[in-house]
Amino acid sequence: METQDDLDLGTAPDELQQGQSDATLLKQAMINEKVAPELLEYDAPLVASIEAQLEHQEGVIADYRDNAEMELPRLMYSYELKRVRYLLQAYLRTRLKKIERFVLHILENEQVLQKLSEKEQTYAQEYFMLYGRHQKETILNQMPDGFKDIAKQSAGSVRGDMIPVPDLDKHVFCRVLADRGYVEMNNAGTETAEFSKDDLYVARYDPIHALLKEGWVHLV
């Protein structure tokens, strides 16, 4: 008989995350995305694995529907299915909110654009077209010449001064997953902090975003 853990078949390839279920990894990915000021890289393998497991578990639940003896396991699987589906939707919704907020920044920066899935890239382009059209019809067309650019305040301004960008100096809480040694906390290298396993830090996001990408820390 299958158990509730059947929904969590995969584990992360990173050595620091081995043994964790996909549902656990998805929950942390959602938290990281919510807390990080920038848009993080889309975790395509994790999302694909979760979607495959959800589809499989739906089939299992359907098979148990007419079996009275399996009513309790069916309910357990159904509750777990709803929980994981909620986490997946929360992860995707959080990313869409960031895409909408930083859409100009994303579309003008190829490196950031590559963090999006293909569907997210399509969404960003279509959202920008609708957003730009709305801004022109309701505001920009009514402005004097020289103030009609959606990306800058006036003709004499630097392009991009009206484009929202992530605040990488924002302070965040992070938990260290393994001993990392001393980490530079400013660009000058004059301030360092020792990152030891299970330590909890509050720090500017900029110095730790590489550690987050490499899997040394989680945001909380």
Side-chain angles (χ1 to χ4, degrees):
M1 185 181 74
E2 298 186 38
T3 66
Q4 186 173 350
D5 289 336
D6 287 341
L7 189 59
D8 304 326
L9 299 178
T11 55
D14 193 286
E15 189 174 309
L16 298 175
Q17 297 179 328
Q18 286 182 357
Q20 297 187 47
S21 69
D22 278 358
T24 299
L25 295 175
L26 178 61
K27 180 180 180 181
Q28 187 58 58
M30 184 266 291
I31 294 173
N32 287 344
E33 195 67 66
K34 280 193 171 185
V35 176
E38 66 172 342
L39 185 70
L40 302 178
E41 187 170 351
Y42 179 72
D43 197 334
L46 177 59
V47 171
S49 179
I50 287 288
E51 289 178 337
Q53 293 172 49
L54 290 175
E55 182 177 357
H56 168 74
Q57 205 67 12
E58 287 173 345
V60 173
I61 292 171
D63 292 340
Y64 287 169
R65 188 163 288 121
D66 297 326
N67 188 337
E69 294 182 357
M70 300 303 296
E71 180 63 15
L72 181 58
R74 187 185 71 82
L75 289 175
M76 293 173 59
Y77 299 150
S78 296
Y79 291 142
E80 179 67 1
L81 189 72
K82 291 178 181 178
R83 182 181 75 89
V84 177
R85 184 176 286 121
Y86 170 81
L87 289 174
L88 179 58
Q89 292 173 346
Y91 171 70
L92 297 176
R93 281 197 303 268
T94 301
R95 292 182 58 81
L96 288 180
K97 288 181 180 178
K98 283 187 178 179
I99 290 171
E100 292 176 0
R101 182 179 181 185
F102 301 123
V103 64
L104 288 170
H105 170 69
I106 292 170
L107 293 178
E108 290 196 345
N109 190 322
E110 182 65 26
Q111 186 176 0
V112 179
L113 185 62
Q114 293 307 311
K115 294 181 179 181
L116 280 62
S117 67
E118 290 185 5
K119 290 182 178 179
E120 288 175 336
Q121 290 183 17
T122 300
Y123 177 83
Q125 293 165 355
E126 293 179 351
Y127 175 83
F128 174 68
M129 291 178 62
L130 293 173
Y131 172 79
R133 184 185 308 157
H134 173 73
Q135 290 293 313
K136 288 180 180 179
E137 292 177 353
T138 59
I139 301 175
L140 297 179
N141 286 344
Q142 317 303 322
M143 300 292 288
D145 292 342
F147 294 88
K148 295 185 176 183
D149 194 318
I150 196 173
K152 58 182 182 180
Q153 296 187 47
S154 67
S157 301
V158 177
R159 177 170 176 78
D161 63 352
M162 289 289 287
I163 298 179
V165 297
D167 180 11
L168 301 185
D169 285 329
K170 175 184 176 181
H171 282 73
V172 297
F173 284 92
C174 67
R175 185 179 302 279
V176 183
L177 303 181
D179 292 343
R180 183 63 175 79
Y182 286 92
V183 175
E184 293 185 359
M185 303 304 291
N186 60 12
N187 295 331
T190 57
E191 181 180 348
T192 61
E194 185 176 8
F195 276 44
S196 301
K197 183 179 179 181
D198 295 330
D199 282 350
L200 187 65
Y201 287 92
V202 57
R204 289 191 309 113
Y205 176 77
D206 190 41
I208 66 169
H209 80 275
L211 299 180
L212 176 64
K213 182 178 180 179
E214 295 168 2
W216 289 100
V217 301
H218 280 165
L219 302 183
V220 295

